[in-house]
């Protein structure tokens, strides 16, 4: 049975709270319209506990100079599941009190609600986040690429999709860190799967040729109107999740999948149609995220997806790029269409208003009421029911999570361009992880004594600061529960791996791997793609790597399977599965505490190589 979205006490609290940012003021619909409110969230990533630091702060208005991005911006704390719940309830209450005529509200998601999550959710395979979303009353969500991080079978488990009801799968709970074993909650927190449908119109079963999960969901208003939402995920998903976990499905073009189902919905007499797509774009002014019309310089895949998506679609809720925007882009018929995104981590909720014509059942896009606003999830009110769920799982995680593993004498940081975290450079944190994987793999005879370890930048999800380091902090860096595998590559294949880092005409698309100490190479990015690494410069402990030689290497199971389009790893032979990745960091730090941060600097940009040949 679906939990009520908020307790009566919480509803009263949010209804009377003035809030740091008022609910959006939206024009009234025409008398013949029925207004529907969609409240949208994306890329939550299990942030059930209010996040700290920059991830938990948002500029809600500029300083005296009228521009964002300065020290005098008005900054407020945002995020946390209980505050998302309270914000949703407040916006629903205000909407119903101020809208004339019939109205209804729905809470929707656009994927990546789970995985890449903090310790208190990820260590329990994100069952805490699913429980919180159930309690928040989420009505429907598309899948995101991170919903596939643990493979299709685990997605079916958490979405209760095997036969429409949840069945506990003991095997799905194996491999969890000792001390937090179990599947997982007890009593009222016993896991029964998602109470909302996950949609996946473009994720097609190889066996049946049909979507592995429902392609769409029809929402019905009390006034009898129907709105259908089609869910799709980025077609690039197989390249950014472990390939071995998605072998039973194919990922098709997002717009083509949507267009396939639009006629089916119209045959059912449904004309009000929206899309929840886990793909997005980038705006040039992300500091203006809280504003209602921030669509400055929108670029990225969502622009093309919108241009190819049927004009019968009235709304596109996007995700994946962690930007916040509300745009009006022309559909194929030239009619403006809302395209939105609510940033990331539950910092914002998009308040979308759809006036539905009573006679035609279609969205009246010419109405002044057709609009969207991004609303900050401030922390002045919290739903006690959702808060109790968060408190339960934090208490469960406290023992093992707060165990001190060791100390570091300096910060272990991801690569940065100024203050922004980037993926086009190696990092001190990545070198630490690679060093740990190599050192621990060398203590396991069955892994074959590797000589170098590689670490992908996208697998590093947070930084570690100087001082004592807990198990929770190490887990938060690598929350995917990959294993450290070893395999044998030729020297030519290692060169191919390095070439695959430098993609396209500019370095913005590069994915530069961190490597273990003792590995070194030189490159010139101005050279043609595929020939940017100087082969003669690739060395292990000072010895040149021979193209025809064979070398044992270590990498997490994601990379070893060709993840992030590092397909050269797939040429490897004799792959052996090793320990869970975070366990190697724990073992290595314990053995080397206090640890001095490594320097990295294994990838050397040059114009003239130091070698010849």
């Amino acid at each position: 049975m679906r939990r009520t979205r908020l307790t009566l006490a919480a509803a009263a609290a949010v209804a009377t709270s003035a809030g740091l940012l008022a609910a959006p003021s939206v024009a009234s619909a025409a008398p013949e319209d029925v207004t529907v409110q969609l409240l949208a969230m994306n890329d939550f990533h299990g942030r059930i506990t209010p996040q700290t630091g920059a991830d938990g702060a948002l500029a809600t208005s500029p300083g005296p100079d009228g521009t964002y991005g300065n020290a005098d911006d008005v900054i407020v704390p945002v995020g946390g599941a209980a505050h998302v719940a309270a914000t949703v309830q407040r916006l629903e209450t205000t909407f119903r009190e101020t809208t004339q005529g019939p109205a209804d509200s729905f809470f929707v998601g656009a994927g990546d609600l789970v995985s890449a999550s903090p310790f208190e959710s990820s260590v329990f395979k994100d069952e805490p986040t699913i429980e919180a979303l159930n309690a928040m009353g989420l009505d429907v969500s598309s899948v995101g690429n991170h919903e596939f991080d643990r493979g299709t079978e685990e997605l079916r488990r958490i979405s209760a999709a095997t036969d429409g009801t949840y069945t506990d799968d003991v095997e799905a709970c194996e491999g969890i860190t000792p001390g937090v074993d179990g599947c997982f909650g007890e009593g009222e927190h016993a896991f029964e799967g998602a109470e909302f449908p996950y949609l996946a119109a473009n994720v097609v079963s190889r066996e049946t040729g049909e979507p592995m999960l429902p392609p769409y969901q029809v929402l019905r208003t009390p006034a009898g109107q129907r709105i259908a939402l089609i869910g799709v995920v980025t077609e690039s998903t197989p390249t950014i999740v472990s390939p071995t976990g998605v072998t039973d499905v194919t990922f098709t073009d997002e717009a083509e999948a949507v267009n396939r189902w639009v006629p089916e919905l119209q045959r059912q007499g449904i004309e009000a149609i929206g899309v929840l797509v886990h793909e997005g774009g980038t705006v040039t002014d992300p500091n203006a995220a809280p504003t209602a019309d921030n669509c400055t310089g929108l670029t990225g895949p969502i622009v093309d997806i919108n241009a190819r998506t049927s004009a019968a679609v009235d709304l596109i809720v996007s995700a994946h790029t962690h930007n916040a925007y509300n745009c009006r882009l022309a559909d194929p018929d030239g009619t403006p269409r809302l395209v939105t995104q609510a940033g990331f981590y539950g910092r914002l909720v998009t308040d979308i208003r759809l006036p539905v014509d009573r006679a035609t059942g279609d969205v009246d896009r010419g109405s002044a009421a057709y609009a969207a606003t991004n609303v900050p999830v401030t922390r002045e009110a919290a739903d006690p029911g959702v808060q109790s769920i968060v408190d339960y799982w934090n208490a469960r995680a406290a023992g093992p999570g707060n165990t001190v593993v060791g100390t570091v004498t300096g910060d272990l940081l991801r690569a940065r361009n100024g203050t922004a975290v980037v993926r086009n450079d190696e990092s001190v944190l990545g070198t630490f992880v690679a060093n740990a994987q190599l050192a621990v793999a060398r203590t396991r005879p069955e892994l074959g004594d590797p000589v170098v370890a590689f670490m992908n930048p996208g697998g590093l999800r947070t930084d570690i600061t100087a001082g004592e380091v807990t198990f929770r902090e190490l887990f938060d860096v690598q929350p995917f529960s990959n294993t450290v595998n070893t395999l044998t590559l030729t020297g030519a294949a290692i060169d191919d791996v390095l070439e695959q880092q430098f993609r396209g005409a500019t370095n913005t698309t590069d994915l530069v791997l961190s490597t273990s100490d003792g590995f070194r190479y030189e490159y010139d990015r101005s050279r043609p793609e595929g020939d940017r690494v100087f082969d003669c410069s690739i060395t292990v402990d000072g010895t040149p790597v021979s193209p025809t030689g064979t070398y044992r290497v270590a990498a997490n199971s994601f990379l070893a399977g060709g993840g992030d389009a590092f397909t050269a790893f797939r040429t490897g032979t004799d792959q052996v599965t090793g320990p869970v990745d975070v366990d190697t960091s724990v073992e290595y730090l314990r053995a080397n505490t206090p640890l001095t941060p490594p320097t990295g600097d294994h990838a050397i940009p040059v114009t003239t190589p130091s070698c010849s040949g």
Side-chain angles (χ1 to χ4, degrees):
M1 180 178 178
R2 179 179 295 276
R3 292 182 174 88
T4 56
R5 190 165 285 147
L6 291 173
T7 63
L8 291 176
V14 297
T16 57
S17 173
L20 291 174
L21 189 76
S25 176
V26 180
S28 298
E32 62 272 18
D33 291 342
V34 174
T35 306
V36 176
Q37 178 189 50
L38 297 183
L39 299 170
M41 179 177 72
N42 58 275
D43 295 276
F44 186 54
H45 289 294
R47 263 48 180 193
I48 58 174
T49 304
Q51 53 267 38
T52 59
D55 286 344
L58 188 71
T60 57
S61 60
D65 65 354
T67 62
Y68 283 96
N70 301 311
D72 58 357
D73 288 350
V74 177
I75 306 292
V76 298
V78 290
H83 302 294
V84 173
T87 300
V88 167
Q89 177 64 25
R90 174 171 61 84
L91 293 174
E92 288 180 335
T93 299
T94 302
F95 170 67
R96 290 193 171 98
E97 290 176 347
T98 58
T99 301
Q100 297 177 355
D104 203 7
S105 296
F106 300 96
F107 183 27
V108 304
D112 277 10
L113 304 181
V114 298
S115 199
S117 309
F119 181 82
E120 65 272 14
S121 181
S122 190
V123 77
F124 301 112
K125 291 198 171 182
D126 283 310
E127 291 181 9
T129 296
I130 296 295
E131 183 183 1
L133 292 170
N134 288 344
M136 292 155 68
L138 189 70
D139 290 294
V140 62
S141 179
S142 66
V143 294
N145 56 283
H146 280 286
E147 265 81 13
F148 293 91
D149 280 338
R150 300 183 180 101
T152 54
E153 287 308 305
E154 174 64 4
L155 173 55
R156 291 184 178 98
R157 184 185 80 88
I158 66 169
S159 65
T162 303
D163 60 1
T165 58
Y166 176 76
T167 301
D168 189 12
D169 180 356
V170 175
E171 291 184 359
C173 301
E174 293 178 354
I176 305 303
T177 304
V180 292
D181 279 343
C183 211
F184 282 107
E186 300 171 349
E188 65 178 310
H189 299 284
F191 186 66
E192 296 182 352
E195 295 176 0
F196 55 90
Y198 264 121
L199 308 181
N202 70 325
V203 187
V204 179
S205 167
R206 293 183 185 272
E207 180 179 355
T208 67
E210 295 297 323
M212 67 163 286
L213 293 171
Y216 61 83
Q217 176 75 0
V218 178
L219 307 174
R220 299 175 184 272
T221 73
Q225 302 295 337
R226 293 179 296 170
I227 294 179
L229 297 176
I230 303 170
V232 290
V233 63
T234 175
E235 187 182 8
S236 68
T237 295
T239 69
I240 50 179
V241 302
S242 179
T244 58
V246 293
T247 56
D248 60 331
V249 295
T250 58
F251 293 80
T252 65
D253 181 86
E254 304 94 340
E256 291 178 6
V258 170
N259 294 343
R260 171 194 171 186
W261 292 101
V262 167
E264 167 63 26
L265 293 167
Q266 290 178 319
R267 281 192 290 270
Q268 298 176 33
I270 300 172
E271 295 295 337
I273 302 172
V275 171
L276 306 173
V277 54
H278 192 79
E279 183 56 279
T282 303
V283 291
T284 58
D285 189 12
N287 288 319
T291 65
D293 58 356
N294 178 32
C295 196
T296 306
L298 180 70
T299 60
I302 196 62
V303 177
D304 173 66
I305 291 171
N306 172 76
R308 294 186 296 111
T309 295
S310 168
V313 169
D314 300 297
L315 165 73
I316 297 178
V317 178
S318 68
H320 190 50
T321 52
H322 289 206
N323 272 226
Y325 48 78
N326 289 299
C327 303
R328 291 176 185 261
L329 305 183
D331 70 17
D333 287 348
T335 304
R337 174 165 58 196
L338 281 173
V339 179
T340 74
Q341 189 179 160
F344 60 99
Y345 293 172
R347 294 151 46 97
L348 295 163
V349 169
T350 308
D351 187 345
I352 302 163
R353 308 292 175 89
L354 302 178
V356 179
D357 187 280
R358 291 174 182 268
T360 66
D362 204 353
V363 173
D364 181 3
R365 289 196 240 168
S367 169
Y370 177 69
T373 304
N374 280 329
V375 180
V377 175
T378 54
R379 297 182 185 173
E380 71 271 19
D383 170 48
V386 176
Q387 187 63 54
S388 69
I389 293 170
V390 176
D391 292 343
Y392 169 82
W393 289 106
N394 272 295
R396 286 282 304 277
N402 294 335
T403 300
V404 175
V405 174
T407 60
V408 292
T409 61
D411 295 341
L412 302 176
L413 303 178
R414 293 165 291 175
R416 279 171 167 76
N417 180 5
T419 60
V421 174
V422 297
R423 299 185 179 185
N424 59 3
D425 196 4
E426 59 186 333
S427 68
V428 171
L429 179 61
T431 302
F432 159 75
V433 169
N435 284 344
Q437 293 180 355
L438 181 65
V440 173
R442 282 176 166 173
T443 68
R444 310 290 202 270
E446 68 276 12
L447 297 182
D449 197 21
V451 298
V452 60
F454 298 89
M455 182 59 199
N456 58 304
L460 306 169
R461 306 306 294 196
T462 190
D463 302 315
I464 292 176
T465 55
E468 291 186 339
V469 180
T470 64
F471 181 80
R472 178 193 291 266
E473 291 174 295
L474 290 173
F475 190 97
D476 285 349
V477 170
Q478 302 176 89
F480 303 108
S481 298
N482 289 315
T483 55
V484 176
N485 295 0
T486 57
L487 61 157
T488 299
L489 292 177
T490 65
I494 290 177
D495 178 49
D496 289 341
V497 166
L498 299 179
E499 292 287 0
Q500 288 172 350
Q501 300 175 111
F502 305 111
R503 311 173 184 202
T506 66
N507 69 0
T508 57
T509 56
D510 289 351
L511 289 176
V512 175
L513 303 173
S514 294
T515 55
S516 52
D517 287 335
F519 188 79
R520 185 183 184 278
Y521 64 95
E522 297 171 350
Y523 69 96
D524 180 357
R525 218 192 171 286
S526 67
R527 292 163 61 89
E529 185 174 355
D531 191 30
R532 290 168 171 165
V533 174
F534 294 102
D535 298 3
C536 60
S537 72
I538 307 172
T539 60
V540 175
D541 295 328
T543 301
V545 169
S546 168
T548 58
T550 56
Y551 302 87
R552 199 71 178 162
V553 306
N556 62 42
S557 50
F558 169 79
L559 266 185
D564 271 344
F566 283 99
T567 55
F569 280 107
R570 297 180 190 168
T571 68
T573 59
D574 302 321
Q575 184 168 165
V576 179
T577 300
V580 174
D581 51 9
V582 67
D583 291 344
T584 65
S585 293
V586 170
E587 186 172 333
Y588 180 74
L589 181 55
R590 281 176 174 162
N592 293 278
T593 195
L595 180 105
T596 300
T599 57
D601 298 329
H602 304 152
I604 312 300
V606 299
T607 54
T608 303
S610 61
C611 58
S612 60

